[in-house]
Amino acid sequence: MCLGLHIPSMNIAMLKPTDLLIVDDDPEFRASVVQRFARRGHNVQDAGDGETALALAERRQFDVAVIDMMMPGMSGMELLERLRAQNPESEVIVLTGQGSVESAVRAMKLGAFDYLTKPFPLTELETLIEKAHERRQLRKENQQLQAVLGRNQRVEGDMVGNSRPMQEVYRLIQRAGPTDKAILIQGESGTGKELVAKALHRHSLRADKPLVVINCAALPESLLESELFGHEKGAFTGAAVAKQGLFEMADGGTLFIDEIGELAGSLQAKLLRVLEDGSMRRVGSVKERRVDVRLLAATNRNMAQEVAAGRFREDLYYRINVMSLQLPPLRERSGDVQPLVAKFLGPDWKIADDAIAALCRYRWPGNVRQLINAIDRAKILADPPTIRLQELPAEIAHFADMQVNGDGQAELEEESLAAIQRAHVVEVLARERGNKAKAARALGVNRRSLYRLLEKYNIQ
C-alpha cells in the first residue's frame, strides 16, 4: 500500500550493482522503484504480494529485499519472518505507514536492516539500500575469509629462476594478470602451476579478494560437485548443515581449478553455466545464486586432444582457454636448478660440488616437485650442515660422472635413463610398502601419473 511518494532528481552517484527484490501491492510505486534502480545498473525483480515474493526468493538469492508492511493476504511481517528464515544472508528494509512505528520496531527485532516511513524521497531508500548492501558485502567477505583460512591453504614462496623460458613466463604473468579473463595454465606435473596461479592473482585487480584453490584429481565426482557449488542441508546422506561452495568463497576473487582435465562431464556442464552468466545452484537447491569469479585452470593433459576424443566439452575448453600459459619442464630450464637448490636448502645447509653437479645434470621427470623431495630426503640422511652425493637418490647420483654436451645436457642413452627411472619407481614403492598414495607423493607426481608410470614400465 503506497501512502505517498516524492521522486527527486536523479543526480546522485550510482551504487554498486545489487540484486534487489521490491515487494509492494501498489503497481505504480513498484514501477517507479524498479525503473529507477534498473537504470542505475541493478538487477531488480518485483512482486505484488508475499506469495510471489517467496517464490522469487526460492529461485534466486537477493542481496537486499524492500517490503511493505501493509499488504493484502500475507502480511509484510509474516513475509519478513519467512524471508529471513529462507534467506538469512539477505538484508531486508521494511516500509511502514504513519503511526506504525511499533511495527517497525518489531520488524527490526526480527532481523530487518532498517525501515522507512511513507511518504519518503527515493534518495532515502537508495541510501538505505546502499548501506544494506555494504553490510551484506562485509558479512560475505568475512565468511569468505573464514572459509579460506579454514581450508588452511599452504602459501608457497615466489617462483625462482632466470632462464629464458622462465623470463617468458614472468612476462606473460605481468601482461595477463591485470585482465579479468580466464587463463589455462599447462605443463607437466611438478612444474609449479599453482605458483603461477597465485602470481596471476597477485597481479590482478582482485588481489585483495580471496584466491581459492581446488584439485579435481584429489576428489571423487560426488564430493567435487559439493565442494565447487556447495550444498543444502539434507541434500545427501551426511549433509547435516548447509555449506557454501568454493565459487561462493571466491566471489569477487579468483578460483583456481587444478587438474581441470579430470572434471567429469556432468560437472563440465555446470561449470560452463557459471562461467557464462555467473549463475549457479547449490546441490539440493533450486535457488539461483550469482557469483563474480575469475577462473584460472591448470592441467598436465593435452586439452586439444581431450576435446577431440570427446572427453572434454569444446565450448568449455574455449571458455577456460581465453589465453594459454605453457610452463617449461625443469629439464628445459638450464641454469635454474642451482638457485632452486639454494632456496630449498635454506641458509643453514651446504651441498658438495659433485652433488650439485649431479642435480644440475639430472633430467627431472617429476620437475620441481621431485627436486624438493630429493632435497628433503637428503636433509634427513645427511649430517648437517653438508649434503653429499651419497645422500641423493641413486638415480640422481648416477649423473655425477656423466659428460655434458654443448647444450648443457648430460649424455645418456634413452634406455639407460628409462632403466634408472624404473628402478627409482620400484625403490620408492618398496620403501612405501606398496602404498601408491605415499609413493606418488615421494615421487612428486599425482596418483594418476604414478599409474601411468607403472603401466609404462610394466611394474607389478
Side-chain angles (χ1 to χ4, degrees):
M1 178 183 297
C2 184
L3 301 180
L5 181 67
H6 169 61
I7 303 179
S9 63
M10 315 249 291
N11 295 324
I12 63 174
M14 182 177 289
L15 309 180
K16 295 179 181 178
T18 306
D19 285 327
L20 289 174
L21 174 62
I22 309 298
V23 189
D24 197 291
D25 63 321
D26 187 317
E28 183 179 348
F29 171 80
R30 293 202 317 275
S32 299
V33 174
V34 169
Q35 181 183 32
R36 180 184 180 91
F37 288 104
R39 286 176 62 183
R40 279 161 154 61
H42 303 296
N43 305 309
V44 191
Q45 294 200 24
D46 65 295
D49 55 73
E51 289 80 5
T52 304
L54 285 176
L56 289 172
E58 284 181 356
R59 297 194 299 269
R60 185 170 178 177
Q61 180 76 25
F62 292 97
D63 296 317
V64 181
V66 179
I67 63 176
D68 187 15
M69 288 286 98
M70 300 292 292
M71 293 187 295
M74 182 187 300
S75 70
M77 199 67 70
E78 182 183 352
L79 175 59
L80 168 63
E81 290 187 83
R82 294 181 64 174
L83 274 178
R84 292 295 297 163
Q86 182 175 303
N87 298 281
E89 300 164 356
S90 301
E91 298 292 350
V92 179
I93 297 170
V94 298
L95 309 179
T96 68
Q98 296 286 358
S100 301
V101 177
E102 294 83 0
S103 297
V105 172
R106 184 182 167 205
M108 298 286 284
K109 290 181 178 179
L110 290 174
F113 174 77
D114 210 333
Y115 71 94
L116 279 176
T117 302
K118 295 179 178 179
F120 55 82
L122 277 184
T123 49
E124 289 189 23
L125 177 59
E126 196 156 18
T127 299
L128 269 188
I129 289 175
E130 181 178 19
K131 290 179 179 178
H133 188 221
E134 285 177 354
R135 189 166 84 169
R136 161 89 173 101
Q137 289 301 110
L138 284 172
R139 196 163 59 229
K140 180 194 290 187
E141 289 173 7
N142 184 55
Q143 291 171 345
Q144 289 174 330
L145 179 60
Q146 298 215 7
V148 170
L149 291 175
R151 290 175 65 84
N152 194 26
Q153 296 182 36
R154 179 183 172 190
V155 179
E156 303 287 351
D158 292 333
M159 291 178 288
V160 174
N162 289 308
S163 61
R164 185 174 298 175
M166 288 305 295
Q167 291 294 333
E168 177 65 10
V169 170
Y170 301 149
R171 185 185 73 83
L172 292 175
I173 289 173
Q174 290 178 337
R175 295 294 296 272
T179 74
D180 219 23
K181 302 300 183 183
I183 296 178
L184 181 62
I185 307 167
Q186 301 185 87
E188 298 177 6
S189 293
T191 48
K193 296 186 285 292
E194 186 173 338
L195 282 179
V196 171
K198 290 175 178 176
L200 286 166
H201 178 69
R202 286 197 302 272
H203 282 77
S204 76
L205 301 178
R206 300 169 181 254
D208 61 335
K209 300 296 183 181
L211 168 64
V212 180
V213 179
I214 186 170
N215 188 323
C216 293
L219 298 169
E221 179 183 349
S222 58
L223 184 55
L224 184 58
E225 181 179 17
S226 172
E227 281 288 296
L228 283 171
F229 302 104
H231 63 255
E232 296 295 344
K233 180 180 179 180
F236 49 84
T237 303
V241 295
K243 175 187 174 183
Q244 67 175 187
L246 300 188
F247 269 104
E248 291 177 77
M249 289 186 197
D251 192 15
T254 305
L255 177 63
F256 173 51
I257 302 181
D258 200 1
E259 304 292 357
I260 197 169
E262 308 285 346
L263 201 63
S266 59
L267 295 185
Q268 292 178 27
K270 290 193 70 172
L271 178 59
L272 178 63
R273 181 165 183 254
V274 71
L275 293 181
E276 285 179 335
D277 60 10
S279 61
M280 50 151 284
R281 293 186 178 94
R282 290 179 178 178
V283 177
S285 173
V286 297
K287 182 185 301 180
E288 185 178 274
R289 299 169 184 267
R290 298 186 69 83
V291 293
D292 172 26
V293 173
R294 184 198 190 178
L295 183 79
L296 303 177
T299 182
N300 59 10
R301 295 187 176 191
N302 186 319
M303 295 304 293
Q305 292 180 2
E306 295 295 304
V307 170
R311 290 187 291 268
F312 200 86
R313 293 178 62 117
E314 184 175 24
D315 47 4
L316 178 58
Y317 172 62
Y318 290 119
R319 177 69 65 172
I320 66 174
N321 191 27
V322 176
M323 176 180 172
S324 179
L325 202 159
Q326 185 73 41
L327 294 190
L330 186 54
R331 59 184 172 274
E332 294 178 6
R333 295 169 52 185
S334 177
D336 285 349
V337 172
Q338 196 150 347
L340 283 167
V341 170
K343 175 190 174 182
F344 301 138
L345 277 178
D348 299 328
W349 284 87
K350 299 177 182 179
I351 186 166
D353 291 343
D354 55 353
I356 191 64
L359 291 169
C360 290
R361 293 169 181 169
Y362 185 59
R363 291 186 58 81
W364 301 108
N367 293 294
V368 179
R369 190 181 298 136
Q370 185 187 3
L371 174 60
I372 295 172
N373 289 339
I375 296 299
D376 288 344
R377 175 186 185 273
K379 282 183 176 181
I380 294 171
L381 297 176
D383 294 324
T386 303
I387 289 177
R388 296 166 300 172
L389 182 65
Q390 55 264 40
E391 275 101 42
L392 296 178
E395 73 279 4
I396 298 174
H398 183 75
F399 277 72
D401 298 325
M402 291 291 159
Q403 296 297 316
V404 178
N405 61 29
D407 296 326
Q409 298 291 341
E411 295 179 347
L412 188 67
E413 294 295 329
E414 194 67 29
E415 294 80 2
S416 300
L417 179 59
I420 292 170
Q421 291 175 336
R422 185 184 191 282
H424 181 47
V425 174
V426 171
E427 176 193 352
V428 171
L429 271 171
R431 188 170 69 240
E432 301 297 346
R433 300 180 180 275
N435 186 312
K436 294 183 178 62
K438 291 183 179 179
R441 284 195 294 271
L443 289 165
V445 298
N446 60 40
R447 292 185 68 175
R448 286 179 174 81
S449 297
L450 174 59
Y451 285 124
R452 287 194 285 270
L453 286 172
L454 298 180
E455 182 178 353
K456 175 182 178 181
Y457 294 127
N458 193 27
I459 299 172
Q460 301 301 319

